Amino acid sequence: MAGHYYSKRPDVEHNRKKWTVSLRGMQLAFVSDAGVFSKGGVDYGSRVLIDCMDIPEDATVLDVGCGYGPIGLTAAKLATRGRVTMVDVNERALDLARENALLNGVHNVTIQESDGLNALGSEHYSVILTNPPIRAGKEVVHRIFEQSYEHLADGGSLWIVIQKKQGAPSAEAKLQQLFGEDNVELVVKDKGYRIYQAKKSFPS
């Protein structure tokens, strides 16, 4: 388990890489390393999510399973008057995310260790983003959905990316159970990836 990207302390040898990529029309630089998710470049699923996620300028955003930071740091660039919290269980990924925030001049971020949303207390967010750790198992992924519902402000949105062959149907069913069928939208289908937006209703 310790070699997996969802481990607290990956035990694989370091192999740092640095590259630049265009995300939402912005050039961002990233340093990655062995033992983190998609170490060789921003993965396709994250790119699809980044391309379509709706981040208001004043949003309070949470990126769950942030890795070395592409989703959360792009969101922070878009939320010019907002704040982004980035969490991961992987200490190596968190160190890289902090390094990449500095590298890209992103200061409206808080980067902290958390297993899912366990360490976030009673904080609420207007937008939650996740490319969930599918290899950690369905139970872990669905727990992230449940915790996200609890931590969303009324009227807020959860955005997820998931592959059809890696659990999209059960993920959609779980989101509908939590948020209500009418509040879950399949926003994008792209090369087997699915982007869902689930909106938390205002109390009636």
Side-chain angles (χ1 to χ4, degrees):
M1 280 286 281
H4 288 293
Y5 62 83
Y6 48 85
S7 306
K8 182 177 171 68
R9 295 188 183 93
D11 61 5
V12 293
E13 289 291 320
H14 288 280
N15 182 21
R16 285 166 58 91
K17 300 178 185 298
K18 183 179 178 181
W19 73 93
T20 59
V21 62
S22 178
L23 298 172
R24 293 292 283 261
M26 302 176 287
Q27 287 295 120
L28 282 87
F30 291 102
V31 177
S32 74
D33 200 350
V36 302
F37 176 64
S38 193
K39 64 182 183 294
V42 182
D43 65 290
Y44 194 81
S46 291
R47 284 174 176 266
V48 177
L49 176 57
I50 288 166
D51 282 345
C52 70
M53 63 189 187
D54 182 16
I55 309 294
E57 285 186 358
D58 60 351
T60 53
V61 182
L62 174 64
D63 176 11
V64 182
C66 64
Y68 55 79
I71 296 171
L73 295 179
T74 304
K77 289 275 194 181
L78 296 170
T80 52
R81 294 183 290 112
R83 185 85 195 166
V84 177
T85 300
M86 298 164 58
V87 298
D88 205 295
V89 73
N90 182 327
E91 292 178 352
R92 188 177 293 185
L94 291 167
D95 287 341
L96 290 165
R98 294 183 185 105
E99 183 177 351
N100 290 327
L102 291 173
L103 189 61
N104 291 284
V106 176
H107 303 292
N108 58 331
V109 292
T110 301
I111 299 167
Q112 69 181 78
E113 183 181 335
S114 181
D115 181 2
L117 288 74
N118 289 346
L120 296 173
S122 59
E123 291 294 317
H124 284 77
Y125 305 89
S126 58
V127 179
I128 299 179
L129 310 164
T130 188
N131 184 348
I134 299 302
R135 291 182 192 171
K138 185 167 84 170
E139 183 179 334
V140 172
V141 172
H142 285 195
R143 177 165 54 88
I144 288 173
F145 297 166
E146 291 165 359
Q147 292 177 323
S148 294
Y149 181 83
E150 295 300 322
H151 283 270
L152 267 178
D154 295 332
S157 290
L158 169 65
W159 292 79
I160 75 158
V161 56
I162 193 164
Q163 286 194 65
K164 182 181 180 183
K165 65 183 181 184
Q166 290 187 330
S170 68
E172 182 176 16
K174 182 65 176 180
L175 293 173
Q176 289 175 345
Q177 175 195 332
L178 289 166
F179 290 84
E181 200 169 319
D182 292 342
N183 294 322
V184 177
E185 179 185 356
L186 174 57
V187 180
V188 171
K189 292 195 289 188
D190 188 341
K191 294 184 179 176
Y193 288 91
R194 304 286 187 266
I195 307 293
Y196 291 97
Q197 180 189 18
K199 292 183 180 179
K200 186 171 183 177
S201 298
F202 288 97
S204 54

